[in-house]
Amino acid sequence: TNLSLLLLSIWSGSKLNILQTFALSVFPGSMFSLWQLQILHDCLHGSLFQKGQPKVWGRFNRKKLQDAVLFWGSMPSAYGYYTYLKFGHLTHHISVGDEKKATLEKLFDSSNKDFEDGDVLFVAHRMKLKGDIGPKFKIPSLKLRRKKQSNSDDEVKEIKMSISNSGFNQWKVGSPIRNSIAFASSFLFERFMIVTNDVIVALTGRNFYFPNKPLDFHKECTAYCRVAVLLRLLLWRLSGWKALLFLYLSETIWSIPPHPACAMFVTNHGSKVDSVTGECIPSSSTYAGRLYSMFTLGTNYHCEHHDFPTIPLDKLGMLRQIAPEFYKKGSDDNVFKIMKGAFSDPDFYACMDVGVTLSNGDDAGVTGNAASEVA
């Protein structure tokens, strides 16, 4: 997957025009980028290599190998999945839907090394959240400068800025096209800012979006950004700027309508109500056939993944056969209808508005019952 992304980016930069680069990023570029994320995701959960063995292939320390795969496997990329996976995904399984932890304010203000729920970085563009926004920046104002010159206290003005929230505020219920455009605009712009921020982190050794996080967080972010930015510069030097354009589009397009993978991305943590029990279900899967599951490399089995986080991606689809009473039947989901519904009337993130209580890092609703039954 990574080799394919590397070769396609070089080809795009040296041989293709912008329109051809865009087409190549739609397919197969977006598919390979999603595969890159899913394989790294399995590595993070410990299911990429054989379980229960401290040594992989009888030679390599399991934890060190997993860390190395996560680091180097996140490249080549325009901004990459490393920061989210390293600091925000495992905690997502614990805090998903928690109205106190899963907020933009908490995400950017926290002094913990890990994000309380890394998925907030994505869902803030397309779902309702509780709590205040972030990040916050402290800047001196002209008035405060004058005070400082007159020997008054050195004060600063605090401002809050959120690209995702600004885009989401443009949504209008019942207007899926308008909302899709607002989502795509904020998402693409924020991802471009992340590309820029990687350069700043590489140069300064600090991620200023997260000012309260400990030194270890900034050191690990800096180490990744310096290697990743160096590789991007080498790609630019080798084959031109369109190599980076290909990577940027490949990493973003699969999340944006009308790309088919967008359907499972924007609905994996909604607030659907079970028609039988009346309970809110904070995780959902998209069943659109075998080819769709291959195209997304099992990312569409999101409810199953939250029920059993350590099951490998190629085994998730078997859970519906083992315990069909706990999962939706059929494989005929219409991905375009799913996207239309998601962008017509946005949900709260993961039943946040109904106060679902999570336990042991699992989702509520079908989770837990299904887990105990399959076990």
Side-chain angles (χ1 to χ4, degrees):
T1 295
N2 291 43
L3 180 60
S4 297
L5 286 170
L6 177 63
L7 294 177
L8 289 173
S9 66
I10 293 172
W11 186 32
S12 297
S14 57
K15 300 293 184 181
L16 305 183
N17 59 39
I18 293 179
L19 186 60
Q20 291 170 328
T21 299
F22 175 80
L24 194 67
S25 66
V26 173
F27 186 83
S30 64
M31 180 185 72
F32 284 133
S33 184
L34 182 54
W35 285 12
Q36 181 187 45
L37 170 62
Q38 182 69 330
I39 294 168
L40 293 172
H41 169 263
D42 257 31
C43 176
L44 181 72
H45 279 286
S47 52
L48 185 61
F49 303 109
Q50 185 178 2
K51 297 179 183 178
Q53 301 293 330
K55 297 284 187 180
V56 177
W57 303 310
R59 182 176 181 182
F60 301 101
N61 179 278
R62 182 184 183 85
K63 181 63 169 63
K64 289 183 178 179
L65 181 60
Q66 287 179 178
D67 288 344
V69 169
L70 187 62
F71 185 93
W72 295 103
S74 298
M75 296 173 266
S77 62
Y79 56 87
Y81 305 113
Y82 176 79
T83 302
Y84 160 68
L85 289 172
K86 177 70 175 179
F87 302 106
H89 183 73
L90 294 181
T91 51
H92 158 68
H93 279 263
I94 299 172
S95 304
V96 57
D98 189 318
E99 64 179 70
K100 294 181 179 180
K101 294 181 178 180
T103 71
L104 284 169
E105 181 182 34
K106 190 69 173 177
L107 180 78
F108 289 103
D109 284 357
S110 174
S111 59
N112 295 325
K113 181 178 179 180
D114 293 331
F115 304 134
E116 278 68 20
D117 183 352
D119 272 39
V120 171
L121 290 164
F122 312 116
V123 300
H125 289 271
R126 52 182 167 80
M127 306 191 96
K128 301 173 188 176
L129 290 170
K130 291 189 176 183
D132 207 349
I133 65 171
K136 299 174 183 176
F137 298 96
K138 295 181 179 179
I139 58 172
S141 67
L142 291 175
K143 182 178 179 181
L144 293 173
R145 285 197 190 104
R146 286 195 295 270
K147 286 183 178 180
K148 183 178 179 182
Q149 291 171 358
S150 61
N151 296 322
S152 64
D153 292 336
D154 183 11
E155 299 179 32
V156 293
K157 180 180 179 181
E158 184 177 81
I159 61 172
K160 301 175 184 178
M161 299 177 64
S162 173
I163 296 172
S164 56
N165 185 259
S166 298
F168 188 66
N169 285 341
Q170 304 307 311
W171 284 40
K172 183 178 179 181
V173 174
S175 302
I177 295 178
R178 171 194 172 120
N179 299 341
S180 296
I181 294 172
F183 167 71
S185 300
S186 66
F187 191 81
L188 288 169
F189 179 62
E190 186 180 77
R191 291 308 178 265
F192 177 76
M193 293 301 293
I194 293 175
V195 175
T196 305
N197 188 59
D198 279 359
V199 178
I200 296 174
V201 174
L203 292 174
T204 65
R206 191 165 185 84
N207 193 327
F208 293 100
Y209 282 110
F210 308 98
N212 301 321
K213 289 200 173 295
L215 184 60
D216 283 349
F217 170 85
H218 295 286
K219 284 184 176 180
E220 291 184 43
C221 282
T222 301
Y224 172 75
C225 287
R226 285 176 177 169
V227 175
V229 169
L230 178 60
L231 179 58
R232 292 164 200 166
L233 291 175
L234 289 174
L235 274 174
W236 192 331
R237 175 64 178 168
L238 178 66
S239 56
W241 62 273
K242 290 193 295 294
L244 301 186
L245 176 64
F246 166 79
L247 292 172
Y248 171 77
L249 292 173
S250 296
E251 288 171 57
T252 53
I253 282 178
W254 64 264
S255 307
I256 297 171
H259 195 287
C262 173
M264 59 91 187
F265 176 65
V266 299
T267 58
N268 55 12
H269 286 301
S271 296
K272 289 184 178 179
V273 176
D274 189 290
S275 58
V276 178
T277 65
E279 295 180 350
C280 188
I281 304 175
S283 293
S284 62
S285 297
T286 301
Y287 305 127
R290 182 173 296 180
L291 288 178
Y292 188 77
S293 298
M294 292 175 60
F295 181 70
T296 62
L297 205 63
T299 318
N300 58 309
Y301 296 117
H302 207 75
C303 185
E304 290 85 341
H305 168 62
H306 271 261
D307 282 346
F308 301 94
T310 60
I311 287 187
L313 60 89
D314 59 315
K315 300 291 193 299
L316 286 172
M318 297 172 59
L319 289 173
R320 281 207 301 166
Q321 302 172 23
I322 298 172
E325 66 271 28
F326 294 105
Y327 299 101
K328 187 177 66 175
K329 295 177 174 60
S331 298
D332 57 353
D333 284 346
N334 186 314
V335 294
F336 299 105
K337 286 185 178 180
I338 290 174
M339 283 186 275
K340 182 179 179 182
F343 287 100
S344 292
D345 189 5
D347 280 339
F348 268 95
Y349 171 49
C351 299
M352 182 178 285
D353 60 326
V354 296
V356 169
T357 301
L358 308 182
S359 61
N360 298 322
D362 291 331
D363 285 345
V366 298
T367 307
N369 291 332
S372 60
E373 179 73 12
V374 175

